[in-house]
Amino acid sequence: MEKAKVDQFIMVNADKFPDYAQMQIREKLEKMDEARESMLMATSWKSPMVTFLLAFFLGIVGADRFYMGQIGLGIAKLLTCGGVGIWAIVDWFTAFGRAKTHNLNLLMMRF
């Protein structure tokens, strides 16, 4: 991938990935061929802010876990009313990190 496109991708999506992984992401993108580039640009990244808001307002029913694609954990959270509220509160503090780590894993595994 061209350096200008790599810089643009990182600038636009920097808030969706962990800060510590910026160099790792840059190296991965620089090695990427053009066939995967269009797939990368079409990928929908999970927003850390949306994940947090879902955890804060609808965490008791597991909406944040469903949004992240963790269906089993979402059902468990729903059935236990957010782990009697404790699990829901813990997720308020981990929502940003979970979304960023999910995006990083998706980038590293798929591309």
Side-chain angles (χ1 to χ4, degrees):
M1 186 183 243
E2 298 174 19
K3 184 180 180 338
K5 289 183 180 180
V6 170
D7 291 338
Q8 180 183 12
F9 178 85
I10 290 175
M11 185 172 54
V12 169
N13 295 301
D15 64 325
K16 294 180 176 71
F17 295 96
D19 293 333
Y20 66 84
Q22 296 297 323
M23 291 304 297
Q24 184 181 10
I25 293 169
R26 181 176 297 280
E27 291 170 4
K28 180 82 170 180
L29 294 178
E30 287 173 351
K31 294 176 186 175
M32 187 180 297
D33 60 353
E34 289 187 30
R36 292 182 179 241
E37 183 179 329
S38 61
M39 214 168 73
L40 173 73
M41 297 305 174
T43 301
S44 176
W45 306 106
K46 300 296 182 188
S47 169
M49 182 56 76
V50 170
T51 305
F52 171 75
L53 291 173
L54 286 171
F56 190 78
F57 291 110
L58 298 171
I60 202 95
V61 294
D64 56 318
R65 296 294 180 154
F66 288 114
Y67 174 71
M68 295 296 298
Q70 301 170 329
I71 305 303
L73 290 175
I75 292 170
K77 201 170 173 185
L78 175 66
L79 294 176
T80 62
C81 293
V84 192
I86 296 169
W87 187 2
I89 292 170
V90 169
D91 278 352
W92 295 350
F93 298 99
T94 62
F96 279 99
R98 283 187 293 115
K100 289 181 177 190
T101 301
H102 171 81
N103 290 335
L104 178 63
N105 291 338
L106 182 64
L107 177 71
M108 292 302 163
M109 299 298 257
R110 187 178 289 177
F111 302 101

